[in-house]
Amino acid sequence: MNETKINTVHLLDNVTEIRKKYDEIARITGANFNIFKVLKMEHKEVHPHSSLISELLNEKGSHGQGNLFLNLFLKIINNRIDNTDRKIDYFINSYSDVEYGLDQISNDGTEGGRLDIIVEDSNQLIIIENKIGADDQKNQLLRYYNFAKKTNKKFIILYLWKFDYELTEKDDQYTLGETTEQRKAVLEKTLTISYQTD
């Protein structure tokens, strides 16, 4: 091999090694995390809050922090839950998505729809209904409850509100379901959290 080829091979090996180091530094420091890209603001998309939350809860997110944010979030949620059986375990190989489409809404309104945020692994599921400005839909939380129940996974529905608020069977019949039994079942699996406090 002539000297020029040897120097070229050596140079390329060094560049590859340097690139790997820079990639590792970027991963550790979160330098690749771009909030504007996550929020899709370069295209002025209308759902920045859900996109940001989903990205932070995504253990494979561009933030490069693995499940750090997801575990911190679960700690906050679990501290708010009194019943040990309702607490969510730490996720392993989880998946996070926004605007997760279910089937078309059924005629009776108890199936289908679209989830604002979903986080799941093979054993458990979190559904987040992100209420910033939209009104509740008829049987909305009941539909999410029915979907989650069919997965046979441990689950919780988080009703994320701007301010501190507590869902009640009496006041929130419209979104919880038409029967007392439906409303009680949905409330048992739903936790209200807020931007203000949580």
Side-chain angles (χ1 to χ4, degrees):
M1 206 186 270
N2 68 30
E3 190 174 342
T4 304
K5 278 189 174 181
I6 291 172
N7 287 338
T8 303
V9 169
H10 183 67
L11 176 65
L12 291 175
D13 286 343
N14 285 336
V15 167
T16 301
E17 199 57 40
I18 290 168
R19 179 67 192 174
K20 285 181 185 176
K21 295 267 187 214
Y22 276 109
D23 287 345
E24 181 63 13
I25 290 168
R27 187 193 66 75
I28 291 169
T29 62
N32 290 334
F33 183 74
N34 180 336
I35 194 165
F36 299 106
K37 183 176 181 183
V38 171
L39 294 176
K40 298 178 171 91
M41 296 204 52
E42 71 264 7
H43 302 294
K44 298 182 180 176
E45 188 164 344
V46 296
H47 301 292
H49 295 84
S50 293
S51 294
L52 177 60
I53 292 168
S54 177
E55 183 71 10
L56 290 173
L57 298 180
N58 184 350
E59 68 179 71
K60 295 170 186 77
S62 61
H63 49 72
Q65 302 303 303
N67 60 10
L68 174 69
F69 300 124
L70 177 58
N71 287 338
L72 290 171
F73 182 70
L74 289 174
K75 186 175 180 182
I76 291 168
I77 299 308
N78 284 332
N79 283 339
R80 297 265 322 275
I81 298 173
D82 295 331
N83 183 341
T84 307
D85 294 337
R86 289 182 61 206
K87 292 185 186 262
I88 298 296
D89 300 321
Y90 290 110
F91 282 78
I92 299 171
N93 295 322
S94 65
Y95 163 82
S96 173
D97 200 5
V98 292
E99 294 296 311
Y100 184 86
L102 307 177
D103 293 331
Q104 185 174 353
I105 296 177
S106 62
N107 289 337
D108 66 359
T110 62
E111 303 285 338
R114 186 174 296 274
L115 308 176
D116 288 340
I117 303 169
I118 186 171
V119 181
E120 69 178 320
D121 65 10
S122 59
N123 299 315
Q124 52 191 6
L125 168 70
I126 296 175
I127 295 170
I128 302 175
E129 174 55 26
N130 191 9
K131 281 294 178 204
I132 293 176
D135 292 331
D136 285 324
Q137 298 170 21
K138 185 173 175 67
N139 295 328
Q140 186 174 21
L141 294 180
L142 175 62
R143 289 197 308 269
Y144 301 165
Y145 170 86
N146 288 338
F147 163 76
K149 197 159 169 77
K150 287 180 184 177
T151 67
N152 292 319
K153 296 179 180 185
K154 184 176 184 179
F155 72 92
I156 190 165
I157 300 168
L158 300 176
Y159 188 83
L160 176 56
W161 190 251
K162 290 183 277 191
F163 308 105
D164 288 340
Y165 177 77
E166 197 62 43
L167 284 167
T168 66
E169 185 182 336
K170 180 182 175 195
D171 296 331
D172 298 289
Q173 295 178 23
Y174 186 74
T175 192
L176 294 172
E178 296 176 12
T179 70
T180 301
E181 184 179 272
Q182 288 171 333
R183 293 190 295 269
K184 284 184 179 179
V186 174
L187 280 174
E188 176 64 28
K189 289 294 200 171
T190 303
L191 177 67
T192 305
I193 59 176
S194 73
Y195 284 98
Q196 181 179 17
T197 302
D198 302 302

